[in-house]
Amino acid sequence: DAKTTQPPSMDCAEGRAANLPCNHSTISGNEYVYWYRQIHSQGPQYIIHGLKNNETNEMASLIITEDRKSSTLILPHATLRDTAVYYCIAVSSGAGSYQLTFGKGTKLSVIP
Amino acid sequence: EPEVTQTPSHQVTQMGQEVILRCVPISNHLYFYWYRQILGQKVEFLVSFYNNEISEKSEIFDDQFSVERPDGSNFTLKIRSTKLEDSAMYFCASTATGGWTEAFFGQGTRLTVV
């Protein structure tokens, strides 16, 4: 079972920041928090990942609490094309192959 | 941007027939994966493949399934005798190294078993 919990759905106004929360109170110290999204049954798309520090890339920012029990994915200026299911996934940092365990994610609807 | 390519995009097959789903991973990637998603359900891990052998597989990946990297570019998933419940989107993914890097997913093959 997934080690993360997310709200099933959220709405966000176009142009505003979308803040997607994720609880992962049971992840271990060597587990990264990864975010993926899936736009309308397309293949999942990598967004960002982090371990302890906050991370930012061209798509989003990831804020991880100091106790690592939760995190927030921020899409700074949501567009209609950001409407998708967003998955927060705990991934072991062990070397070798790894599998992603997808939960149900958060369905983000960006509203004009 | 590099991409994982899957063919065909849609395959319809009769129950009991064999199907082969094809994937071309990103060229310098070393780890390859198959996932599936039954309509309306979660994305589920099937198998991972590294150094020409299976490194992990899920309970779904039973004897009816097999994977192969027949040449330097293709990665295939074979279902020997399809069942109705095999109807799903099948996604191929690849990563450069295991563990810490993001996976690139293909756009999927929609398999419909009739």
Short mmCIF file of all heavy atoms in Angstrom, two decimals, chain A residues 1-2 30 32 34 36 38-49 58 87 91-104, chain B residues 1 31 33 35 37 39 41-45 48-50 55-58 89 91 95 97-108 110:
data_model
loop_
_atom_site.label_atom_id
_atom_site.label_comp_id
_atom_site.label_asym_id
_atom_site.label_seq_id
_atom_site.Cartn_x
_atom_site.Cartn_y
_atom_site.Cartn_z
N ASP A 1 0.82 -1.19 0.00
CA ASP A 1 0.00 0.00 0.00
C ASP A 1 0.86 1.25 0.00
O ASP A 1 1.97 1.25 0.52
CB ASP A 1 -0.89 0.03 1.26
CG ASP A 1 -2.02 -0.94 1.14
OD1 ASP A 1 -3.00 -0.61 0.46
OD2 ASP A 1 -1.91 -2.02 1.70
N ALA A 2 0.32 2.33 -0.62
CA ALA A 2 1.05 3.58 -0.70
C ALA A 2 1.28 4.14 0.69
O ALA A 2 0.44 4.03 1.58
CB ALA A 2 0.26 4.56 -1.56
N ASN A 30 15.41 7.29 4.25
CA ASN A 30 16.04 7.17 2.94
C ASN A 30 15.02 7.16 1.80
O ASN A 30 15.36 6.81 0.67
CB ASN A 30 16.90 5.91 2.87
CG ASN A 30 16.05 4.64 2.86
OD1 ASN A 30 14.87 4.67 3.18
ND2 ASN A 30 16.65 3.52 2.51
N TYR A 32 12.67 9.11 -0.77
CA TYR A 32 12.41 10.37 -1.42
C TYR A 32 10.91 10.55 -1.62
O TYR A 32 10.16 9.58 -1.72
CB TYR A 32 13.08 10.41 -2.80
CG TYR A 32 14.57 10.65 -2.75
CD1 TYR A 32 15.44 9.66 -2.31
CD2 TYR A 32 15.10 11.86 -3.17
CE1 TYR A 32 16.81 9.88 -2.27
CE2 TYR A 32 16.46 12.09 -3.14
CZ TYR A 32 17.31 11.11 -2.69
OH TYR A 32 18.64 11.34 -2.66
N TYR A 34 8.47 11.77 -4.44
CA TYR A 34 8.38 12.06 -5.87
C TYR A 34 6.97 12.52 -6.20
O TYR A 34 5.99 12.05 -5.61
CB TYR A 34 8.66 10.79 -6.70
CG TYR A 34 10.11 10.51 -6.97
CD1 TYR A 34 10.98 10.17 -5.95
CD2 TYR A 34 10.59 10.56 -8.27
CE1 TYR A 34 12.32 9.88 -6.22
CE2 TYR A 34 11.93 10.28 -8.55
CZ TYR A 34 12.77 9.95 -7.52
OH TYR A 34 14.09 9.68 -7.79
N TYR A 36 4.45 12.92 -9.57
CA TYR A 36 4.15 12.68 -10.98
C TYR A 36 2.75 13.20 -11.25
O TYR A 36 1.96 13.38 -10.33
CB TYR A 36 4.18 11.18 -11.31
CG TYR A 36 5.56 10.62 -11.52
CD1 TYR A 36 6.39 10.32 -10.45
CD2 TYR A 36 6.03 10.37 -12.81
CE1 TYR A 36 7.66 9.80 -10.64
CE2 TYR A 36 7.30 9.84 -13.02
CZ TYR A 36 8.10 9.57 -11.93
OH TYR A 36 9.35 9.06 -12.14
N GLN A 38 -0.62 12.73 -14.28
CA GLN A 38 -1.15 11.99 -15.40
C GLN A 38 -2.29 12.81 -16.00
O GLN A 38 -3.31 13.03 -15.34
CB GLN A 38 -1.64 10.61 -14.97
CG GLN A 38 -2.00 9.71 -16.14
CD GLN A 38 -2.39 8.31 -15.70
OE1 GLN A 38 -2.82 8.10 -14.56
NE2 GLN A 38 -2.25 7.35 -16.60
N ILE A 39 -2.06 13.24 -17.19
CA ILE A 39 -3.05 14.05 -17.90
C ILE A 39 -3.91 13.12 -18.73
O ILE A 39 -3.41 12.47 -19.66
CB ILE A 39 -2.37 15.11 -18.80
CG1 ILE A 39 -1.54 16.06 -17.92
CG2 ILE A 39 -3.39 15.86 -19.64
CD1 ILE A 39 -0.68 17.02 -18.70
N HIS A 40 -5.17 13.00 -18.36
CA HIS A 40 -6.18 12.28 -19.14
C HIS A 40 -5.67 10.96 -19.73
O HIS A 40 -5.60 10.80 -20.94
CB HIS A 40 -6.71 13.18 -20.24
CG HIS A 40 -7.92 12.60 -20.94
ND1 HIS A 40 -9.04 12.18 -20.26
CD2 HIS A 40 -8.16 12.35 -22.25
CE1 HIS A 40 -9.92 11.70 -21.11
NE2 HIS A 40 -9.42 11.80 -22.34
N SER A 41 -5.25 10.03 -18.86
CA SER A 41 -4.86 8.68 -19.28
C SER A 41 -3.62 8.63 -20.16
O SER A 41 -3.32 7.59 -20.75
CB SER A 41 -6.02 7.98 -20.00
OG SER A 41 -7.08 7.80 -19.12
N GLN A 42 -2.89 9.72 -20.24
CA GLN A 42 -1.57 9.65 -20.89
C GLN A 42 -0.59 9.00 -19.92
O GLN A 42 -0.93 8.72 -18.77
CB GLN A 42 -1.08 11.06 -21.25
CG GLN A 42 -1.92 11.75 -22.29
CD GLN A 42 -1.40 13.15 -22.58
OE1 GLN A 42 -0.23 13.46 -22.31
NE2 GLN A 42 -2.25 13.98 -23.13
N GLY A 43 0.63 8.77 -20.36
CA GLY A 43 1.63 8.21 -19.47
C GLY A 43 1.96 9.18 -18.35
O GLY A 43 1.97 10.40 -18.55
N PRO A 44 2.21 8.68 -17.14
CA PRO A 44 2.59 9.57 -16.04
C PRO A 44 3.82 10.40 -16.41
O PRO A 44 4.71 9.93 -17.13
CB PRO A 44 2.89 8.60 -14.90
CG PRO A 44 2.06 7.39 -15.19
CD PRO A 44 2.08 7.28 -16.69
N GLN A 45 3.84 11.61 -15.91
CA GLN A 45 4.92 12.55 -16.23
C GLN A 45 5.60 12.96 -14.94
O GLN A 45 4.94 13.39 -13.99
CB GLN A 45 4.33 13.77 -16.94
CG GLN A 45 5.35 14.84 -17.28
CD GLN A 45 4.71 16.13 -17.78
OE1 GLN A 45 3.52 16.38 -17.52
NE2 GLN A 45 5.47 16.94 -18.49
N TYR A 46 6.91 12.84 -14.91
CA TYR A 46 7.68 13.26 -13.74
C TYR A 46 7.58 14.78 -13.56
O TYR A 46 7.64 15.54 -14.54
CB TYR A 46 9.14 12.86 -13.93
CG TYR A 46 10.11 13.50 -12.95
CD1 TYR A 46 10.24 13.01 -11.66
CD2 TYR A 46 10.85 14.62 -13.32
CE1 TYR A 46 11.13 13.60 -10.77
CE2 TYR A 46 11.73 15.21 -12.44
CZ TYR A 46 11.87 14.70 -11.16
OH TYR A 46 12.73 15.29 -10.28
N ILE A 47 7.43 15.21 -12.30
CA ILE A 47 7.41 16.64 -12.02
C ILE A 47 8.65 17.05 -11.24
O ILE A 47 9.43 17.89 -11.66
CB ILE A 47 6.14 17.04 -11.23
CG1 ILE A 47 4.88 16.66 -12.01
CG2 ILE A 47 6.16 18.54 -10.93
CD1 ILE A 47 3.60 16.86 -11.21
N ILE A 48 8.83 16.45 -10.07
CA ILE A 48 9.89 16.89 -9.17
C ILE A 48 10.07 15.84 -8.09
O ILE A 48 9.19 15.00 -7.87
CB ILE A 48 9.51 18.27 -8.56
CG1 ILE A 48 10.73 19.00 -8.00
CG2 ILE A 48 8.40 18.12 -7.52
CD1 ILE A 48 10.44 20.47 -7.69
N HIS A 49 11.19 15.86 -7.40
CA HIS A 49 11.37 15.00 -6.24
C HIS A 49 12.30 15.67 -5.25
O HIS A 49 13.06 16.59 -5.61
CB HIS A 49 11.86 13.60 -6.63
CG HIS A 49 13.31 13.55 -7.07
ND1 HIS A 49 13.71 13.95 -8.32
CD2 HIS A 49 14.41 13.13 -6.43
CE1 HIS A 49 15.01 13.76 -8.45
NE2 HIS A 49 15.48 13.26 -7.31
N GLU A 58 11.62 23.97 -13.35
CA GLU A 58 10.84 24.82 -14.26
C GLU A 58 9.34 24.52 -14.18
O GLU A 58 8.53 25.31 -14.65
CB GLU A 58 11.34 24.65 -15.69
CG GLU A 58 11.16 23.28 -16.29
CD GLU A 58 12.24 22.29 -15.88
OE1 GLU A 58 13.13 22.69 -15.09
OE2 GLU A 58 12.19 21.13 -16.33
N TYR A 87 0.18 12.65 -8.41
CA TYR A 87 0.55 11.56 -7.52
C TYR A 87 1.77 11.94 -6.69
O TYR A 87 2.80 12.36 -7.23
CB TYR A 87 0.89 10.29 -8.30
CG TYR A 87 -0.21 9.77 -9.18
CD1 TYR A 87 -0.22 10.03 -10.54
CD2 TYR A 87 -1.24 8.99 -8.66
CE1 TYR A 87 -1.22 9.53 -11.36
CE2 TYR A 87 -2.23 8.48 -9.47
CZ TYR A 87 -2.22 8.77 -10.82
OH TYR A 87 -3.21 8.27 -11.63
N VAL A 91 9.64 6.91 -2.58
CA VAL A 91 10.52 6.03 -3.33
C VAL A 91 11.80 5.79 -2.55
O VAL A 91 12.48 6.74 -2.15
CB VAL A 91 10.87 6.64 -4.71
CG1 VAL A 91 11.80 5.72 -5.49
CG2 VAL A 91 9.62 6.93 -5.52
N SER A 92 12.13 4.52 -2.36
CA SER A 92 13.36 4.20 -1.65
C SER A 92 14.57 4.64 -2.45
O SER A 92 14.58 4.58 -3.68
CB SER A 92 13.43 2.68 -1.41
OG SER A 92 14.70 2.33 -0.89
N SER A 93 15.59 5.07 -1.74
CA SER A 93 16.80 5.51 -2.41
C SER A 93 17.77 4.37 -2.67
O SER A 93 18.88 4.59 -3.10
CB SER A 93 17.50 6.58 -1.57
OG SER A 93 17.89 6.04 -0.32
N GLY A 94 17.36 3.15 -2.41
CA GLY A 94 18.24 2.02 -2.64
C GLY A 94 18.67 1.92 -4.08
O GLY A 94 17.91 2.22 -5.00
N ALA A 95 19.86 1.50 -4.31
CA ALA A 95 20.38 1.38 -5.68
C ALA A 95 19.71 0.22 -6.40
O ALA A 95 19.10 -0.64 -5.80
CB ALA A 95 21.89 1.17 -5.62
N GLY A 96 19.85 0.21 -7.70
CA GLY A 96 19.19 -0.82 -8.49
C GLY A 96 17.84 -0.35 -8.97
O GLY A 96 17.51 0.81 -8.87
N SER A 97 17.08 -1.22 -9.52
CA SER A 97 15.79 -0.81 -10.07
C SER A 97 14.84 -0.44 -8.94
O SER A 97 15.03 -0.82 -7.80
CB SER A 97 15.19 -1.93 -10.89
OG SER A 97 14.86 -3.03 -10.05
N TYR A 98 13.89 0.30 -9.27
CA TYR A 98 12.89 0.66 -8.28
C TYR A 98 11.54 0.68 -8.95
O TYR A 98 11.42 0.84 -10.14
CB TYR A 98 13.18 2.01 -7.64
CG TYR A 98 12.94 3.20 -8.53
CD1 TYR A 98 11.76 3.91 -8.45
CD2 TYR A 98 13.89 3.61 -9.46
CE1 TYR A 98 11.52 5.00 -9.27
CE2 TYR A 98 13.67 4.69 -10.28
CZ TYR A 98 12.49 5.39 -10.17
OH TYR A 98 12.26 6.46 -10.98
N GLN A 99 10.51 0.49 -8.15
CA GLN A 99 9.16 0.58 -8.68
C GLN A 99 8.45 1.74 -8.02
O GLN A 99 8.68 2.04 -6.87
CB GLN A 99 8.40 -0.72 -8.46
CG GLN A 99 8.31 -1.18 -7.02
CD GLN A 99 7.37 -2.34 -6.87
OE1 GLN A 99 6.16 -2.17 -6.95
NE2 GLN A 99 7.91 -3.53 -6.65
N LEU A 100 7.61 2.37 -8.77
CA LEU A 100 6.76 3.43 -8.25
C LEU A 100 5.42 2.82 -7.87
O LEU A 100 4.82 2.12 -8.68
CB LEU A 100 6.55 4.51 -9.32
CG LEU A 100 7.79 5.26 -9.78
CD1 LEU A 100 7.44 6.11 -10.99
CD2 LEU A 100 8.33 6.12 -8.66
N THR A 101 4.98 3.08 -6.65
CA THR A 101 3.67 2.61 -6.21
C THR A 101 2.71 3.78 -6.26
O THR A 101 2.75 4.66 -5.41
CB THR A 101 3.75 2.03 -4.80
OG1 THR A 101 4.69 0.97 -4.78
CG2 THR A 101 2.38 1.50 -4.37
N PHE A 102 1.86 3.78 -7.28
CA PHE A 102 0.91 4.87 -7.45
C PHE A 102 -0.31 4.66 -6.57
O PHE A 102 -0.86 3.56 -6.51
CB PHE A 102 0.45 4.96 -8.92
CG PHE A 102 1.51 5.45 -9.86
CD1 PHE A 102 2.45 4.57 -10.38
CD2 PHE A 102 1.56 6.78 -10.24
CE1 PHE A 102 3.43 5.02 -11.27
CE2 PHE A 102 2.53 7.24 -11.12
CZ PHE A 102 3.46 6.35 -11.63
N GLY A 103 -0.72 5.74 -5.91
CA GLY A 103 -1.99 5.71 -5.20
C GLY A 103 -3.08 6.26 -6.11
O GLY A 103 -2.96 6.21 -7.33
N LYS A 104 -4.11 6.81 -5.48
CA LYS A 104 -5.21 7.38 -6.28
C LYS A 104 -4.93 8.82 -6.67
O LYS A 104 -5.56 9.34 -7.59
CB LYS A 104 -6.52 7.28 -5.51
CG LYS A 104 -6.97 5.85 -5.29
CD LYS A 104 -8.31 5.78 -4.60
CE LYS A 104 -8.74 4.33 -4.41
NZ LYS A 104 -10.05 4.24 -3.71
N GLU B 1 12.97 17.15 -26.19
CA GLU B 1 13.05 16.33 -25.00
C GLU B 1 12.99 14.85 -25.40
O GLU B 1 12.22 14.47 -26.26
CB GLU B 1 11.88 16.67 -24.08
CG GLU B 1 11.91 15.93 -22.76
CD GLU B 1 10.85 16.41 -21.78
OE1 GLU B 1 11.03 17.50 -21.23
OE2 GLU B 1 9.87 15.68 -21.59
N TYR B 31 17.42 0.97 -17.26
CA TYR B 31 16.38 0.27 -16.50
C TYR B 31 15.06 0.47 -17.23
O TYR B 31 14.72 1.58 -17.64
CB TYR B 31 16.27 0.84 -15.08
CG TYR B 31 17.48 0.59 -14.24
CD1 TYR B 31 18.61 1.40 -14.33
CD2 TYR B 31 17.52 -0.48 -13.33
CE1 TYR B 31 19.73 1.16 -13.56
CE2 TYR B 31 18.63 -0.71 -12.55
CZ TYR B 31 19.73 0.11 -12.67
OH TYR B 31 20.84 -0.14 -11.91
N TYR B 33 10.76 -0.68 -17.56
CA TYR B 33 9.62 -1.07 -16.73
C TYR B 33 8.36 -1.19 -17.58
O TYR B 33 8.21 -0.51 -18.60
CB TYR B 33 9.34 0.00 -15.65
CG TYR B 33 10.55 0.44 -14.88
CD1 TYR B 33 11.41 1.41 -15.39
CD2 TYR B 33 10.85 -0.12 -13.63
CE1 TYR B 33 12.53 1.82 -14.68
CE2 TYR B 33 11.97 0.29 -12.93
CZ TYR B 33 12.80 1.25 -13.45
OH TYR B 33 13.92 1.64 -12.76
N TYR B 35 4.16 -0.95 -16.72
CA TYR B 35 3.07 -0.68 -15.79
C TYR B 35 1.77 -0.86 -16.57
O TYR B 35 1.75 -0.79 -17.79
CB TYR B 35 3.12 0.75 -15.27
CG TYR B 35 4.21 1.03 -14.26
CD1 TYR B 35 5.54 1.18 -14.66
CD2 TYR B 35 3.92 1.14 -12.91
CE1 TYR B 35 6.54 1.43 -13.74
CE2 TYR B 35 4.91 1.40 -11.97
CZ TYR B 35 6.21 1.54 -12.40
OH TYR B 35 7.20 1.78 -11.48
N GLN B 37 -2.67 0.12 -16.37
CA GLN B 37 -3.75 0.86 -15.71
C GLN B 37 -5.07 0.39 -16.30
O GLN B 37 -5.39 0.71 -17.45
CB GLN B 37 -3.58 2.37 -15.88
CG GLN B 37 -4.59 3.19 -15.09
CD GLN B 37 -4.30 4.67 -15.18
OE1 GLN B 37 -3.80 5.17 -16.19
NE2 GLN B 37 -4.59 5.40 -14.11
N LEU B 39 -8.98 0.65 -16.70
CA LEU B 39 -9.78 1.87 -16.81
C LEU B 39 -10.36 2.27 -15.46
O LEU B 39 -11.03 1.48 -14.79
CB LEU B 39 -10.91 1.65 -17.82
CG LEU B 39 -11.74 2.87 -18.17
CD1 LEU B 39 -10.88 3.94 -18.83
CD2 LEU B 39 -12.91 2.48 -19.06
N GLN B 41 -8.80 2.82 -12.72
CA GLN B 41 -8.08 2.33 -11.54
C GLN B 41 -6.66 2.90 -11.50
O GLN B 41 -6.27 3.72 -12.31
CB GLN B 41 -8.06 0.80 -11.56
CG GLN B 41 -9.45 0.19 -11.47
CD GLN B 41 -9.43 -1.31 -11.29
OE1 GLN B 41 -8.43 -1.88 -10.82
NE2 GLN B 41 -10.53 -1.96 -11.65
N LYS B 42 -5.91 2.46 -10.48
CA LYS B 42 -4.56 2.99 -10.27
C LYS B 42 -3.59 2.47 -11.33
O LYS B 42 -3.83 1.43 -11.95
CB LYS B 42 -4.03 2.54 -8.91
CG LYS B 42 -4.83 2.98 -7.72
CD LYS B 42 -4.19 2.39 -6.45
CE LYS B 42 -5.07 2.54 -5.26
NZ LYS B 42 -4.46 1.91 -4.06
N VAL B 43 -2.49 3.16 -11.46
CA VAL B 43 -1.37 2.67 -12.27
C VAL B 43 -0.65 1.61 -11.44
O VAL B 43 -0.26 1.86 -10.31
CB VAL B 43 -0.41 3.82 -12.62
CG1 VAL B 43 0.78 3.31 -13.40
CG2 VAL B 43 -1.14 4.92 -13.40
N GLU B 44 -0.47 0.41 -12.03
CA GLU B 44 0.10 -0.71 -11.28
C GLU B 44 1.42 -1.17 -11.90
O GLU B 44 1.53 -1.32 -13.12
CB GLU B 44 -0.86 -1.90 -11.31
CG GLU B 44 -2.22 -1.65 -10.73
CD GLU B 44 -3.14 -2.85 -10.96
OE1 GLU B 44 -3.53 -3.10 -12.12
OE2 GLU B 44 -3.46 -3.54 -9.97
N PHE B 45 2.39 -1.41 -11.05
CA PHE B 45 3.68 -1.92 -11.50
C PHE B 45 3.56 -3.37 -11.95
O PHE B 45 2.90 -4.18 -11.28
CB PHE B 45 4.69 -1.81 -10.34
CG PHE B 45 5.98 -2.52 -10.56
CD1 PHE B 45 6.95 -1.99 -11.38
CD2 PHE B 45 6.23 -3.74 -9.92
CE1 PHE B 45 8.16 -2.64 -11.57
CE2 PHE B 45 7.43 -4.39 -10.11
CZ PHE B 45 8.40 -3.85 -10.93
N SER B 48 10.21 -4.85 -13.70
CA SER B 48 11.36 -4.04 -14.04
C SER B 48 12.45 -4.95 -14.61
O SER B 48 12.52 -6.13 -14.29
CB SER B 48 11.88 -3.25 -12.84
OG SER B 48 12.26 -4.13 -11.80
N PHE B 49 13.31 -4.37 -15.42
CA PHE B 49 14.25 -5.15 -16.24
C PHE B 49 15.55 -4.40 -16.30
O PHE B 49 15.59 -3.20 -16.62
CB PHE B 49 13.64 -5.30 -17.63
CG PHE B 49 14.33 -6.28 -18.54
CD1 PHE B 49 14.01 -7.62 -18.50
CD2 PHE B 49 15.26 -5.85 -19.49
CE1 PHE B 49 14.61 -8.52 -19.36
CE2 PHE B 49 15.86 -6.74 -20.35
CZ PHE B 49 15.53 -8.08 -20.30
N TYR B 50 16.63 -5.10 -15.97
CA TYR B 50 17.95 -4.46 -15.99
C TYR B 50 18.99 -5.50 -16.34
O TYR B 50 18.91 -6.64 -15.88
CB TYR B 50 18.26 -3.84 -14.61
CG TYR B 50 19.69 -3.41 -14.44
CD1 TYR B 50 20.17 -2.29 -15.12
CD2 TYR B 50 20.55 -4.11 -13.60
CE1 TYR B 50 21.49 -1.89 -14.97
CE2 TYR B 50 21.87 -3.71 -13.45
CZ TYR B 50 22.34 -2.59 -14.14
OH TYR B 50 23.64 -2.19 -14.00
N SER B 55 14.43 -7.76 -12.76
CA SER B 55 14.95 -7.47 -11.43
C SER B 55 13.85 -7.45 -10.37
O SER B 55 14.09 -7.75 -9.22
CB SER B 55 15.74 -6.16 -11.43
OG SER B 55 15.09 -5.17 -12.17
N GLU B 56 12.65 -7.05 -10.76
CA GLU B 56 11.51 -7.11 -9.85
C GLU B 56 10.26 -7.39 -10.66
O GLU B 56 10.17 -7.00 -11.82
CB GLU B 56 11.28 -5.75 -9.14
CG GLU B 56 12.32 -5.34 -8.14
CD GLU B 56 12.02 -3.95 -7.59
OE1 GLU B 56 12.36 -2.96 -8.26
OE2 GLU B 56 11.45 -3.86 -6.50
N LYS B 57 9.32 -8.07 -10.05
CA LYS B 57 8.02 -8.24 -10.69
C LYS B 57 6.93 -8.29 -9.65
O LYS B 57 7.18 -8.66 -8.50
CB LYS B 57 7.99 -9.50 -11.57
CG LYS B 57 8.22 -10.79 -10.82
CD LYS B 57 8.20 -11.96 -11.79
CE LYS B 57 8.42 -13.27 -11.04
NZ LYS B 57 8.38 -14.44 -11.96
N SER B 58 5.73 -7.92 -10.06
CA SER B 58 4.61 -7.91 -9.13
C SER B 58 3.84 -9.22 -9.27
O SER B 58 4.11 -10.03 -10.15
CB SER B 58 3.69 -6.73 -9.43
OG SER B 58 2.99 -6.93 -10.64
N MET B 89 -4.59 -0.02 -20.17
CA MET B 89 -3.50 0.75 -20.78
C MET B 89 -2.20 0.18 -20.24
O MET B 89 -2.07 -0.02 -19.02
CB MET B 89 -3.59 2.22 -20.40
CG MET B 89 -4.61 3.01 -21.19
SD MET B 89 -4.13 3.27 -22.89
CE MET B 89 -2.90 4.56 -22.69
N PHE B 91 1.80 0.88 -19.93
CA PHE B 91 2.81 1.93 -20.06
C PHE B 91 4.20 1.33 -19.90
O PHE B 91 4.47 0.58 -18.97
CB PHE B 91 2.62 3.00 -18.98
CG PHE B 91 1.33 3.75 -19.08
CD1 PHE B 91 0.32 3.55 -18.14
CD2 PHE B 91 1.13 4.69 -20.09
CE1 PHE B 91 -0.87 4.26 -18.22
CE2 PHE B 91 -0.06 5.39 -20.17
CZ PHE B 91 -1.06 5.18 -19.24
N THR B 95 14.52 4.47 -17.06
CA THR B 95 15.32 5.40 -16.27
C THR B 95 16.78 5.18 -16.61
O THR B 95 17.20 4.09 -16.99
CB THR B 95 15.13 5.21 -14.76
OG1 THR B 95 15.55 3.89 -14.39
CG2 THR B 95 13.68 5.38 -14.34
N THR B 97 19.35 5.44 -14.42
CA THR B 97 19.91 4.60 -13.35
C THR B 97 18.79 4.29 -12.37
O THR B 97 17.83 5.04 -12.26
CB THR B 97 21.04 5.31 -12.60
OG1 THR B 97 20.51 6.47 -11.96
CG2 THR B 97 22.16 5.69 -13.52
N GLY B 98 18.91 3.22 -11.66
CA GLY B 98 17.87 2.90 -10.70
C GLY B 98 17.97 3.77 -9.46
O GLY B 98 19.01 4.30 -9.14
N GLY B 99 16.90 3.92 -8.79
CA GLY B 99 16.90 4.53 -7.46
C GLY B 99 16.57 6.00 -7.42
O GLY B 99 15.53 6.39 -6.93
N TRP B 100 17.43 6.83 -7.96
CA TRP B 100 17.28 8.25 -7.67
C TRP B 100 16.81 9.10 -8.83
O TRP B 100 16.63 10.29 -8.70
CB TRP B 100 18.62 8.82 -7.17
CG TRP B 100 19.05 8.22 -5.88
CD1 TRP B 100 18.35 7.36 -5.08
CD2 TRP B 100 20.28 8.42 -5.22
NE1 TRP B 100 19.07 7.02 -3.97
CE2 TRP B 100 20.26 7.65 -4.04
CE3 TRP B 100 21.41 9.20 -5.50
CZ2 TRP B 100 21.33 7.64 -3.14
CZ3 TRP B 100 22.46 9.18 -4.62
CH2 TRP B 100 22.42 8.42 -3.45
N THR B 101 16.64 8.55 -9.95
CA THR B 101 16.29 9.39 -11.11
C THR B 101 14.85 9.17 -11.52
O THR B 101 14.25 8.15 -11.23
CB THR B 101 17.19 9.09 -12.31
OG1 THR B 101 17.07 7.71 -12.63
CG2 THR B 101 18.63 9.43 -11.99
N GLU B 102 14.31 10.16 -12.17
CA GLU B 102 12.92 10.11 -12.57
C GLU B 102 12.73 9.14 -13.73
O GLU B 102 13.62 8.91 -14.53
CB GLU B 102 12.42 11.50 -12.96
CG GLU B 102 13.08 12.10 -14.19
CD GLU B 102 14.35 12.87 -13.89
OE1 GLU B 102 14.94 12.65 -12.80
OE2 GLU B 102 14.76 13.68 -14.73
N ALA B 103 11.56 8.54 -13.80
CA ALA B 103 11.21 7.65 -14.88
C ALA B 103 10.49 8.41 -15.98
O ALA B 103 9.67 9.28 -15.71
CB ALA B 103 10.31 6.52 -14.37
N PHE B 104 10.83 8.09 -17.22
CA PHE B 104 10.11 8.64 -18.37
C PHE B 104 9.15 7.57 -18.85
O PHE B 104 9.56 6.44 -19.12
CB PHE B 104 11.10 9.01 -19.49
CG PHE B 104 11.91 10.23 -19.20
CD1 PHE B 104 13.06 10.16 -18.44
CD2 PHE B 104 11.52 11.47 -19.69
CE1 PHE B 104 13.81 11.29 -18.16
CE2 PHE B 104 12.27 12.60 -19.43
CZ PHE B 104 13.42 12.51 -18.66
N PHE B 105 7.90 7.94 -18.97
CA PHE B 105 6.87 7.01 -19.40
C PHE B 105 6.49 7.26 -20.85
O PHE B 105 6.50 8.40 -21.31
CB PHE B 105 5.60 7.18 -18.54
CG PHE B 105 5.69 6.55 -17.18
CD1 PHE B 105 6.37 7.19 -16.16
CD2 PHE B 105 5.09 5.33 -16.92
CE1 PHE B 105 6.46 6.63 -14.89
CE2 PHE B 105 5.16 4.76 -15.66
CZ PHE B 105 5.84 5.40 -14.65
N GLY B 106 6.14 6.18 -21.54
CA GLY B 106 5.56 6.32 -22.87
C GLY B 106 4.09 6.71 -22.78
O GLY B 106 3.53 6.80 -21.68
N GLN B 107 3.48 6.90 -23.94
CA GLN B 107 2.09 7.33 -23.98
C GLN B 107 1.11 6.17 -23.84
O GLN B 107 -0.09 6.39 -23.75
CB GLN B 107 1.82 8.10 -25.27
CG GLN B 107 2.50 9.45 -25.29
CD GLN B 107 2.14 10.27 -24.07
OE1 GLN B 107 0.99 10.64 -23.87
NE2 GLN B 107 3.11 10.54 -23.22
N GLY B 108 1.62 4.97 -23.84
CA GLY B 108 0.79 3.82 -23.54
C GLY B 108 0.24 3.11 -24.76
O GLY B 108 0.12 3.69 -25.85
N ARG B 110 -3.23 0.96 -25.53
CA ARG B 110 -4.52 0.54 -25.00
C ARG B 110 -4.82 -0.85 -25.55
O ARG B 110 -5.01 -1.00 -26.76
CB ARG B 110 -5.63 1.51 -25.38
CG ARG B 110 -6.99 1.05 -24.85
CD ARG B 110 -8.07 2.12 -25.00
NE ARG B 110 -7.78 3.31 -24.24
CZ ARG B 110 -7.91 3.43 -22.92
NH1 ARG B 110 -8.33 2.39 -22.20
NH2 ARG B 110 -7.63 4.56 -22.31
#
